[in-house]
Amino acid sequence: MEETYYEFGTPADRWDRAQMFFEAKEYVTAARILGGLVEEMPEQVAPRLLLARAYYHSARLIKAEAELLEVLERDPVEDYARLMLGRTLERQGRNAEAAPHLRLAHAMAGDLGDGPAGGERRRA
C-alpha cells in the first residue's frame, strides 16, 4: 500500500487525524490510519476499538469482529466492545452467537431489563 501523508507524524498526530476522519464519516481512511497505529502499539485498546468501529461502519464486519475479539482479550470488561461484537454478529446474521454478548453488554452497562442497552448511550 502506498504511503500518504495520513501515515506520517507522531502517534498522537495520527490518532487525532484518525478521529477527525472517523467523525467526518470517512471510515476507510480512518481505518487506514488506525491500522498503522494498532500495528505500532498493539497493547493500546482505544485505537483498536476505534478501528473496529471504522470497520463496522464501512461494512467490513469480519475485520470488525477480529478487532473486537482482540479488544475483549485485552480488556474483558469493555462493555461497549461487547455490545459492538454482538451487533457485528447480528449484522452477519449470527444471532445465536450475538445473544450472549448482547446480554452481557447490557448487564455490564447496568441495564438488566428488556429495554435498550445502557451501553448504546455512549457511542455509535
Side-chain angles (χ1 to χ4, degrees):
M1 182 181 305
E2 183 179 314
E3 285 192 357
T4 64
Y5 82 93
Y6 303 133
E7 288 86 14
F8 292 102
T10 67
D13 292 337
R14 288 179 282 142
W15 171 246
D16 290 341
R17 196 174 301 128
Q19 289 180 306
M20 177 191 69
F21 279 105
F22 185 88
E23 290 169 9
K25 298 183 181 189
E26 294 288 337
Y27 303 119
V28 173
T29 303
R32 184 174 179 178
I33 298 165
L34 290 162
L37 283 173
V38 166
E39 282 181 27
E40 191 176 320
M41 300 178 297
E43 72 284 352
Q44 294 289 318
V45 170
R48 194 176 293 275
L49 184 57
L50 191 58
L51 177 58
R53 293 176 65 203
Y55 284 150
Y56 178 87
H57 287 300
S58 59
R60 294 186 281 175
L61 301 177
I62 301 298
K63 288 184 174 194
E65 179 183 350
E67 292 302 328
L68 291 164
L69 290 169
E70 285 292 328
V71 167
L72 290 169
E73 184 175 310
R74 287 166 170 69
D75 187 359
V77 296
E78 172 51 68
D79 64 310
Y80 188 69
R82 186 75 57 188
L83 176 68
M84 273 195 64
L85 179 57
R87 296 286 184 242
T88 300
L89 293 169
E90 277 184 333
R91 207 166 154 193
Q92 294 177 63
R94 296 162 56 192
N95 295 340
E97 290 176 67
H101 294 289
L102 294 173
R103 280 193 304 273
L104 188 53
H106 290 244
M108 292 168 76
D111 179 15
L112 301 176
D114 292 330
E120 291 180 278
R121 73 199 175 313
R122 289 189 2 189
R123 300 170 269 207

